Amino acid sequence: MSFKLFSRTVAVFSFICIILQVSAIETKLSGEMWGRWTNETTKNKDADGEYRNKISKNYLSLERGYLGLETAFTPNTKARFTVDMFSTDATYQYPSDSAMPIDTLKNSTIDGAGLKLKYGYVDFANLFPIPDLNLTVGLQKTYFGTIYDWNYALIEKAPSDLYKVANSSDYGITLNGFIPQGWGEYALGIYNGEGYKKIGSALSDNIDFAYLVNFRVTPISGFTVGGSYMNNTVGREKTLSGDALNSKYEEQNLWDGLGRFVYGPVEVWLEYIYKDVAYPNVSGKDYTATGLTIMPVISLNSLINLPVEVIGRYDRWDESDRPSADTAKSLLNTMILGLNYNFMPDNTNTPQMTVQLNYETKMYDEDKSAPSFADGKKDSSQLMLQLKWKFANTL
Amino acid sequence: MKRMTLIILALLMIFMSLSAKNSNQLTCSGSTTVLPIAQAAAEAFMAKYPDINISVRGGGSGVGIAALISGSVDIANSSRPMKSKELLQAKSKEVNPVAYFVANDGIAVIVNNSNPIKGLTLKQLKGIYTGKITNWNQLGGKNIPIVVISRDVASGTFEVFNEKALQGSMVIDSALMLASNNAVVSTVGDTPGAVGYIGLGYINDKVHTLSIENIVPTETTIKDMSYKLSRKLYMYTNGKASGNAAKFIAFIQSAEGQKIVRDTGFIPLN
């Protein structure tokens, strides 16, 4: 990270700390850093025009660095502010013949790192005469599927995040709460629908909001089922001047069903995603996509007395319903095997550090995918080793 | 091949011996209010059963409950009932919290011994903690500014006080938020204008207790809940307590254990 970006971050944080400290009864500073080594192998054309496996990426990165402030103004009013720092996904590029950045190219960064707002919201509890109900206002979690409580047992993202069904956080207003006696949780929300990553000119001119319902119940110990529905749109239906129809405008109905089973040291997650996309301004382009994820997590702690977990995951993401001419038409199978070693537990036994070793392979079904996927041309595999560490202190 | 098999078997035996949990070890953590009861009871229990070792830690009710959910303690001490969010976290991880009622307590509102004020109404108490009443002379006392002392947000005592006395209102910004009952009693004892609140068991001779709505926290008024800041103290286990945890809780609930509850300044069950 450059000195300029670092000093800017420190200045913003100091300012927010001062403001929060003036009126807060308690302020907590927390952080989480993911330092990662990634080795990726993909198929590439050689001199003979043949596709061969080659190492396409081999790098070290600070993949994510969350720095957050949580403050309690009153026991019923709490706020959270989190920035997301990263050394990838950068926003600006220097052209080879100029010292000035070109902001239309998004391959590297002038600062050496990126910075995004991840959360910035206020929780109001006991505003309504319903127990355990919060009104949350601001840039907050998207209560869809597993995306909002995904704890990254594997390095890979939650399915709805990975397949770009929903954003992990977005600007919105939600009513979220818990059913008394631990029976479950729910959320109702209105969001921007464009996520937290779009800023400035990258924000589209979409004028519709996204609407969300989420519900989970835990009827018996160790067994949770739930579902989410979100209605969203992408783009603007008609241009602002002239009322011309926008061919890229999408109407999306997004569904997610999940199950979680815990028995002793074994935990199994199941998630099913259904995405229905309509293009009202274009005929023959509508499609549906489905996703299925199975993720078993086995804790070896009770067996070998070491804080080790073995995790597997199988994803099937099917977009083969797209029209034949659509180059995104595909059926992807992903398999992941992971090993976690947790250490430095805090006083609640939550590990402050985790070493994660993951192997992930992505394979496209040739028959159900567009020609550009044939013969495994877009198949890839990744080996990742990550040290994840976090802290939380009351100021 | 035979050598490899022997090595694997040896490794398995080492792992199994490592994994054999010490069945004579009992761990409990959580509420700092329940801490003196748990500590004194553990000492008496270990004297009676020398082969059982009990480790007792504080941290606050929330910390103890989180540790029970993560499986790192056998007993979570709490000065408040578990919240819906905590119950959901527990249930979804196949943890079934069972509450054992171990003592009664009243949150005592205390002032420095030099303060002549004898009692407050709940409205006055709320007024003090929300900054509407700032000098003892507004309550018929000396012309001394009120120094508001509170517990930190993680404390179960704070949560019960907030619910019963403040009804969710914001504690004044200038309030000193302290991390333990001991810190509160010590600060109030050293500060003539101070007011604080603590578990009954922490009262010492440097402070005196105020009546609330003309009711002094006594065994009778706390047991019949006529004292407005009464509460129950709990120990939670994962599922019905068994083994040493059951033995320890039964000991605290016995006549011998309840004598310890009384000796530590709290109110016994019966």
Side-chain angles (χ1 to χ4, degrees), chain A residues 22-23 26 73-76 132 178 180-184 218 221-222 224 260 262-264 302-303 305 347-349, chain B residues 15 18-19 63 66-67 70 72 84-85 87-88 91-96 152-154 158 162 168-171 173 177:
Chain A
V22 165
S23 54
E26 186 177 276
F73 297 105
T74 75
N76 292 327
D132 302 310
F178 296 92
Q181 299 305 314
W183 284 101
T218 304
S221 178
T224 301
R260 181 188 179 193
V262 180
Y263 186 75
S302 58
L303 189 67
N305 207 26
N347 55 2
T348 65
N349 204 33
Chain B
F15 280 141
L18 281 172
S19 65
V63 168
S70 74
S72 61
S84 297
K85 185 180 179 179
L87 283 167
L88 179 62
K91 271 179 78 181
S92 60
K93 286 189 172 179
E94 214 203 0
V95 172
N96 299 295
D152 58 305
V153 181
F158 172 85
N162 174 61
S169 294
M170 183 177 171
V171 176
D173 293 341
M177 311 294 283

Side-chain angles (χ1 to χ4, degrees), chain B residues 74-85:
Chain B
D74 301 300
I75 297 171
N77 299 330
S78 182
S79 59
R80 58 164 173 82
M82 279 178 76
K83 299 174 186 173
S84 297
K85 185 180 179 179

Side-chain angles (χ1 to χ4, degrees), chain B residues 167-239:
Chain B
Q167 288 106 34
S169 294
M170 183 177 171
V171 176
I172 186 173
D173 293 341
S174 58
L176 199 54
M177 311 294 283
L178 300 178
S180 70
N181 284 287
N182 272 328
V184 174
V185 77
S186 163
T187 309
V188 174
D190 293 340
T191 314
V195 61
Y197 57 89
I198 52 172
L200 269 188
Y202 286 88
I203 293 168
N204 66 19
D205 55 7
K206 286 174 129 185
V207 297
H208 74 261
T209 308
L210 301 183
S211 66
I212 300 295
E213 301 285 354
N214 289 320
I215 295 174
V216 178
T218 63
E219 182 162 347
T220 310
T221 61
I222 286 171
K223 274 186 180 171
D224 67 17
M225 305 292 276
S226 58
Y227 178 66
K228 301 289 181 194
L229 304 179
S230 301
R231 61 174 169 174
K232 296 182 188 306
L233 303 179
Y234 306 89
M235 286 187 171
Y236 281 95
T237 56
N238 177 10

Side-chain angles (χ1 to χ4, degrees), chain B residues 30-229:
Chain B
S31 164
T32 58
T33 302
V34 185
L35 187 63
I37 298 174
Q39 277 176 330
E43 279 172 27
F45 185 82
M46 287 189 288
K48 203 170 177 179
Y49 303 99
D51 56 328
I52 300 173
N53 183 37
I54 304 177
S55 146
V56 183
R57 288 200 293 183
S61 301
V63 168
I65 289 165
L68 183 76
I69 294 170
S70 74
S72 61
V73 295
D74 301 300
I75 297 171
N77 299 330
S78 182
S79 59
R80 58 164 173 82
M82 279 178 76
K83 299 174 186 173
S84 297
K85 185 180 179 179
E86 292 165 337
L87 283 167
L88 179 62
Q89 284 171 345
K91 271 179 78 181
S92 60
K93 286 189 172 179
E94 214 203 0
V95 172
N96 299 295
V98 175
Y100 292 89
F101 175 28
V102 292
N104 293 290
D105 186 29
I107 297 177
V109 178
I110 53 165
V111 293
N112 188 278
N113 267 342
S114 64
N115 191 327
I117 295 286
K118 300 288 178 208
L120 296 169
T121 63
L122 274 175
K123 196 178 171 188
Q124 287 170 330
L125 185 61
K126 186 175 174 182
I128 290 172
Y129 273 86
T130 53
K132 287 178 185 150
I133 299 169
T134 56
N135 194 301
W136 288 111
N137 64 12
Q138 291 171 264
L139 300 166
K142 294 177 184 172
N143 180 19
I144 302 175
I146 300 176
V147 178
V148 178
I149 314 283
S150 179
R151 287 295 309 280
D152 58 305
V153 181
S155 144
T157 305
F158 172 85
E159 292 191 32
V160 175
F161 184 79
N162 174 61
E163 180 194 325
K164 297 194 177 217
L166 304 183
Q167 288 106 34
S169 294
M170 183 177 171
V171 176
I172 186 173
D173 293 341
S174 58
L176 199 54
M177 311 294 283
L178 300 178
S180 70
N181 284 287
N182 272 328
V184 174
V185 77
S186 163
T187 309
V188 174
D190 293 340
T191 314
V195 61
Y197 57 89
I198 52 172
L200 269 188
Y202 286 88
I203 293 168
N204 66 19
D205 55 7
K206 286 174 129 185
V207 297
H208 74 261
T209 308
L210 301 183
S211 66
I212 300 295
E213 301 285 354
N214 289 320
I215 295 174
V216 178
T218 63
E219 182 162 347
T220 310
T221 61
I222 286 171
K223 274 186 180 171
D224 67 17
M225 305 292 276
S226 58
Y227 178 66
K228 301 289 181 194
L229 304 179

